[in-house]
């Protein structure tokens, strides 16, 4: 609206279009990098996609005036907007004292701006001329109502276009209202921008998933190597590995896989048995290794105990130093601050010493408990444990004997089958059959020898078991004799006590056994004498519990039933109101006597 009052004198038209200082200031305000004397841009983060304004020749570094280009404006200082001259129009900055133009919330991936306040005579060429300095323009959609939508190639170009919001535009040197306007640039929401932004986000999500997958694969543990198939050669290799401690786990895994696959048959049974036997022999090595580790642990415990005892000795010495320093001879020569420090140090040293002493005593207490648990066991229990161990060994030997017999029967059956197959087979196979028979015979001989050894051990164990039983019988007879002696001594003591304390025996036969019961009898008698028609046991107990809360109903009822000549129980009432009542009858009994 104020463009009508503008005159030619007020418009700074005397400034040439190629003045380098004005253009450097305008470009600096627009975010475009001014050039120094060396030809290098003064702003290292200048975007090369920003081209020069149309109609302006390229700036030569040697042109006059470029040596005094002002430095770039820091971001915390307000930017001073300058007049921008274009080929077909001129842009005048808004009043710097006015607030910045309002904008809507920026849509995600926004590349399109809304431009309002265009002159009525403005064309797409003029709009392109003004806004192509902000970046590459992809499309312009102009409306007949003095506004348009401009879509840029990148998102950062929209921020540069927003810089022109609030500028007054004038076409040429005309002052006509149709040739002037005030630009309003704001964010615009477009479907294409949103679609491209969503595509970009999906691409970033795919890249992130791919990166995470690569990270997971990188940190994933490698899969175990495949297990080879069974063969005689591989069997011999695995058998050798089973004897080596370093390769035992790998060989055992291979053996387990072969057995689960079903590689065991009549031909390979001996090989598998030898490998299982090797695995069994590895148990001894493991037990020995465990024993060595336990021994090392015990040695470490001893070292720790010795070191702890040495530390305690030193703590005792330090505490003794503190105590000697706190005596009257030396204590008077210290200042108050020194005395305070010495007392604090003494308390701290005593606390630490007590903690270490408790720890050492706990260790010793645990050792004593272990030793006492071992010593407390009676010899009879030791005999029982030995007997049970021998019985379990005998049962294990019986089971082993049965298993050996079954194996012998199986071998005999195999020998008979081989003999039958030997008559049917050809002469070429006779040699192999004979070798198998020899192997089976050798195995039978070995099994028989082992069986004989087991039988001998079985007989020895039975003899030891009989000896243990005889010892047990002797111990039982000794225990019975001791019990009889104890019973006889107890009888003698009882007789002497009966002679010495006849009065106590007489008192024990009385119904009232203690002074407390006598007090209860007196209180109950007084209470029932006051109630001539009797009272229930609950009523009596409620009265007694006021005196002593520990009295219970059963105790009172037992005491009253015991004294039949003093208390009697009667039933009163009819039907549902039937009730048991206790009455005092001591005076009646006295009259009768």
């Amino acid at each position: 609206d104020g463009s009508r009052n503008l005159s030619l004198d007020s418009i700074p038209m005397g400034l040439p279009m190629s003045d380098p200082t004005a253009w450097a200031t305008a470009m600096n305000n627009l975010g475009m990098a001014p050039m120094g004397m060396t030809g290098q841009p003064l702003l290292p983060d200048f975007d090369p996609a920003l081209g020069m304004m149309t109609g302006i020749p390229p700036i030569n570094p040697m042109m006059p005036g470029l040596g005094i280009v002002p430095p770039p404006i820091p971001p915390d200082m307000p930017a001073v907007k300058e007049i921008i001259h274009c080929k077909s129009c001129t842009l005048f900055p808004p009043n710097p004292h006015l607030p910045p133009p309002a904008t809507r919330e920026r849509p995600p991936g926004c590349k399109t701006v809304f431009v309002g306040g265009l002159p009525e005579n403005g064309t797409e060429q003029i709009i392109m001329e003004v806004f192509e300095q902000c970046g590459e323009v992809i499309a312009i959609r102009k409306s007949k109502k003095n506004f348009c939508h401009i879509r840029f190639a990148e998102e950062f170009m929209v921020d540069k276009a927003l810089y022109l919001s609030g500028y007054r535009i004038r076409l040429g040197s005309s002052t006509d209202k149709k040739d002037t306007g005030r630009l309003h640039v704001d964010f615009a929401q477009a479907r294409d921008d949103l679609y491209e932004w969503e595509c970009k986000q999906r691409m970033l999500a795919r890249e992130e998933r791919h990166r995470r997958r690569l990270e997971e694969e990188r940190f994933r543990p490698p899969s175990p190597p495949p297990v080879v198939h069974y063969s005689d050669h591989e069997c011999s290799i695995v058998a050798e590995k089973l004897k080596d401690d370093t390769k035992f786990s790998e060989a055992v895994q291979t053996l387990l896989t072969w057995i689960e696959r079903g590689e065991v048959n009549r031909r390979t049974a001996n090989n598998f048995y030898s490998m299982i036997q090797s695995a069994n022999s590895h148990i001894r090595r493991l037990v020995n290794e465990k024993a060595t580790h336990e021994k090392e642990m015990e040695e470490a415990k001893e070292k720790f105990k010795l070191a702890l005892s040495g530390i305690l000795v030193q703590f005792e010495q330090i505490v003794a130093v503190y105590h000697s320093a706190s005596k009257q001879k030396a204590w008077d020569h210290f200042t108050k601050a020194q005395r305070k420090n010495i007392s604090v140090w003494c308390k701290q040293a005593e606390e630490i010493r007590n903690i270490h002493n408790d720890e050492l005593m706990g260790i010793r207490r645990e050792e004593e408990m272990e030793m006492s648990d071992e010593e407390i066991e009676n010899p009879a229990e030791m005999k029982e444990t030995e007997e049970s161990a021998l019985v379990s060994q005998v049962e294990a030997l019986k089971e082993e004997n049965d298993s050996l017999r079954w194996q012998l029967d199986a071998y005999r059956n195999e020998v008979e089958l081989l003999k039958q197959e030997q008559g049917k087979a050809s002469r070429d196979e006779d040699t192999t059959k004979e070798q198998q028979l020899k192997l089976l015979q050798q195995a039978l001989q070995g099994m028989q020898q082992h069986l004989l050894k087991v039988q001998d051990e079985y007989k020895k164990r039975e003899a030891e078991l009989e000896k243990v039983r005889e010892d047990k019988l002797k111990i039982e007879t000794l225990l019975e004799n001791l019990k009889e002696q104890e019973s006889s001594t107890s009888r003698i003591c009882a007789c002497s006590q009966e002679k010495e304390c006849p009065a106590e025996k007489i008192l024990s036969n009385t119904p009232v056994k203690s002074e407390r019961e006598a007090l209860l009898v007196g209180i109950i008698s007084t209470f029932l004498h006051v109630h001539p028609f009797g009272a229930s046991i609950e009523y009596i107990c409620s009265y007694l519990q006021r005196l002593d809360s520990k009295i219970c109903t059963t105790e009172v009822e037992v005491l009253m039933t015991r004294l039949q000549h003093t208390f009697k129980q009667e039933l009163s009432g009819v039907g549902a109101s039937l009730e048991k009542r206790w009455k005092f009858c001591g005076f009646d009994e006295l009259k009768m006597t």
Side-chain angles (χ1 to χ4, degrees):
D1 296 335
S3 60
R4 294 181 180 179
N5 300 326
L6 290 173
S7 62
L8 293 175
D9 297 333
S10 63
I11 299 172
M13 293 298 292
L15 184 65
M17 294 179 68
S18 61
D19 189 358
T21 57
W23 273 111
T25 306
M27 285 189 295
N28 192 13
N29 292 333
L30 282 171
M32 300 171 67
M35 307 296 289
M37 291 302 295
T38 58
Q40 299 294 331
L42 296 177
L43 292 175
D45 56 346
F46 171 68
D47 187 11
L50 267 174
M52 299 299 293
M53 296 184 187
T54 57
I56 305 300
I59 299 174
N60 189 355
M62 300 303 293
M63 291 176 63
L66 287 183
I68 55 172
V69 174
I73 300 171
D76 55 348
M77 292 180 63
V80 179
K81 296 184 178 182
E82 300 290 340
I83 300 173
I84 300 174
H85 298 276
C86 298
K87 186 177 180 180
S88 304
C89 60
T90 307
L91 299 176
F92 298 94
N95 189 357
H97 300 291
L98 294 176
T103 57
R104 60 178 293 180
E105 186 179 357
R106 181 168 189 159
C110 180
K111 296 181 184 179
T112 306
V113 294
F114 166 82
V115 182
L118 293 172
E120 293 183 9
N121 296 331
T123 60
E124 289 188 6
Q125 294 179 355
I126 296 172
I127 297 169
M128 179 69 75
E129 182 181 349
V130 172
F131 284 96
E132 70 177 355
Q133 59 187 346
C134 301
E136 181 182 356
V137 178
I138 295 176
I140 297 176
R141 293 188 294 275
K142 188 176 181 302
S143 176
K144 296 179 180 179
K145 296 183 179 180
N146 301 332
F147 70 88
C148 69
H149 289 86
I150 303 173
R151 189 162 187 263
F152 293 98
E154 298 295 338
E155 294 183 20
F156 67 90
M157 300 175 183
V158 173
D159 298 326
K160 297 179 180 180
L162 289 175
Y163 179 80
L164 300 176
S165 182
Y167 268 80
R168 297 193 309 275
I169 185 172
R170 188 182 67 187
L171 304 180
S173 58
S174 175
T175 57
D176 191 4
K177 186 177 180 180
K178 295 183 178 180
D179 293 334
T180 59
R182 186 182 294 275
L183 297 179
H184 174 70
V185 185
D186 197 357
F187 300 108
Q189 192 168 5
R191 296 179 183 175
D192 296 340
D193 298 343
L194 183 61
Y195 176 72
E196 287 183 3
W197 181 78
E198 289 176 351
C199 291
K200 186 177 180 181
Q201 294 299 318
R202 284 195 291 270
M203 183 184 69
L204 293 174
R206 284 196 300 272
E207 291 177 356
E208 181 66 19
R209 287 197 298 271
H210 180 66
R211 187 185 62 78
R212 288 182 182 176
R213 196 179 300 113
L214 291 177
E215 289 290 330
E216 290 175 359
E217 290 177 357
R218 189 163 63 89
F219 289 108
R220 187 180 298 159
S223 58
V227 180
V228 296
H229 292 282
Y230 176 81
S231 64
D232 293 336
H233 178 66
E234 295 293 337
C235 178
S236 62
I237 294 172
V238 171
E240 292 296 328
K241 287 182 178 180
L242 286 171
K243 298 176 183 178
D244 191 0
D245 293 340
T246 58
K247 301 178 181 178
F248 179 79
S249 58
E250 179 184 356
V252 163
Q253 189 64 33
T254 305
L255 177 60
L256 178 63
T257 306
W258 285 349
I259 293 172
E260 290 178 350
R261 284 179 182 174
E263 299 287 347
V264 183
N265 52 31
R266 187 183 297 174
R267 186 178 64 85
T268 60
N270 293 327
N271 295 332
F272 275 98
Y273 180 77
S274 63
M275 287 189 287
I276 293 169
Q277 192 174 6
S278 300
N280 186 29
S281 63
H282 188 71
I283 296 173
R284 296 179 183 175
R285 296 197 292 270
L286 294 176
V287 171
N288 294 331
E289 188 176 355
K290 181 188 174 186
T292 55
H293 287 306
E294 287 178 350
K295 186 177 179 182
E296 290 175 358
M297 187 176 69
E298 293 294 332
E299 292 176 355
K301 282 184 180 179
E302 290 294 331
K303 288 181 181 178
F304 174 71
K305 192 166 66 175
L306 292 173
L308 193 60
S309 60
I311 290 168
L312 281 173
V313 169
Q314 294 178 8
F315 268 117
E316 292 290 345
Q317 294 172 355
I318 294 168
V319 171
V321 169
Y322 288 142
H323 286 306
S324 62
S326 60
K327 289 181 179 178
Q328 192 71 26
K329 293 180 181 179
W331 191 254
D332 294 337
H333 299 288
F334 295 118
T335 62
K336 290 184 178 180
Q338 291 173 349
R339 292 175 186 175
K340 185 177 180 182
N341 290 333
I342 291 170
S343 60
V344 170
W345 294 340
C346 184
K347 288 180 182 178
Q348 291 177 355
E350 287 178 351
E351 290 176 358
I352 297 170
R353 181 198 61 186
N354 293 334
I355 291 168
H356 284 75
N357 195 10
D358 293 340
E359 188 174 358
L360 184 60
M361 292 300 293
I363 294 170
R364 290 177 179 173
R365 204 176 296 114
E366 288 177 0
E367 292 179 354
E368 290 175 359
M369 290 290 289
E370 291 176 359
M371 295 295 291
S372 62
D373 291 339
E374 293 177 358
E375 292 174 358
I376 285 171
E377 295 178 354
N378 294 326
E381 293 178 356
M382 293 290 291
K383 292 287 185 181
E384 289 179 0
T385 54
E386 290 177 0
E387 184 180 357
S388 62
L390 289 171
V391 170
S392 62
Q393 289 178 1
V394 169
E395 289 177 356
L397 289 170
K398 284 182 181 179
E399 291 178 358
E400 190 174 1
N401 191 7
D402 294 336
S403 65
L404 290 171
R405 286 177 183 173
W406 295 336
Q407 288 180 6
L408 281 172
D409 294 334
Y411 279 123
R412 285 172 184 168
N413 293 330
E414 287 182 1
V415 169
E416 290 176 359
L417 290 171
L418 288 171
K419 287 180 179 179
Q420 291 176 3
E421 291 176 0
Q422 194 174 19
K424 298 178 183 179
S426 60
R427 296 178 181 178
D428 297 332
E429 297 176 354
D430 290 339
T431 56
T432 58
K433 297 291 182 181
E434 288 175 359
Q435 291 177 358
Q436 290 179 357
L437 283 171
K438 288 179 182 178
L439 291 172
L440 288 171
Q441 287 174 0
Q442 292 175 359
L444 283 170
Q445 291 175 0
M447 296 295 288
Q448 287 174 356
Q449 292 176 0
H450 187 65
L451 183 60
L452 291 173
K453 290 180 182 178
V454 169
Q455 287 177 354
D456 294 334
E457 289 180 1
Y458 178 69
K459 290 178 181 178
K460 291 178 182 178
R461 297 292 183 184
E462 283 183 346
E464 291 176 359
L465 187 60
E466 289 176 357
K467 289 180 181 179
V468 170
R469 286 175 180 170
E470 290 175 359
D471 295 339
K472 186 179 179 181
L473 289 172
K474 290 178 182 179
I475 291 167
E476 287 177 354
T477 54
L478 288 172
L479 287 171
E480 288 176 358
N481 294 328
L482 290 171
K483 287 179 181 178
E484 288 176 0
Q485 291 177 2
E486 288 177 358
S487 62
S488 62
T489 53
S490 64
R491 287 173 187 172
I492 292 166
C493 293
C495 292
S496 62
Q497 287 177 359
E498 286 176 0
K499 290 178 181 179
E500 291 174 0
C501 305
E504 292 180 359
K505 191 172 181 181
I506 293 166
L507 288 173
S508 63
N509 294 327
T510 60
V512 180
K513 296 181 179 179
S514 63
E515 186 178 357
R516 183 172 180 273
E517 290 184 354
L519 289 171
L520 287 174
V521 170
I523 295 167
I524 294 168
S525 302
T526 307
F527 181 77
L528 292 176
H529 184 66
V530 176
H531 296 79
F533 296 104
S536 62
I537 190 68
E538 290 82 6
Y539 186 27
I540 297 167
C541 289
S542 65
Y543 177 74
L544 292 174
Q545 284 175 356
R546 292 181 183 176
L547 303 174
D548 188 1
S549 60
K550 297 181 180 179
I551 295 173
C552 60
T553 307
T554 56
E555 182 183 0
V556 176
E557 192 172 3
V558 168
L559 180 61
M560 294 174 72
T561 52
R562 207 188 306 154
L563 300 170
Q564 297 178 358
H565 298 292
T566 308
F567 306 105
K568 65 179 179 179
Q569 189 179 18
E570 293 182 354
L571 295 174
S572 64
V574 179
S577 63
L578 193 65
E579 186 182 8
K580 291 181 179 180
R581 290 177 176 271
W582 288 89
K583 290 185 177 181
F584 178 71
C585 60
F587 296 139
D588 299 338
E589 293 293 332
L590 286 173
K591 290 176 182 179
M592 290 174 65
T593 56

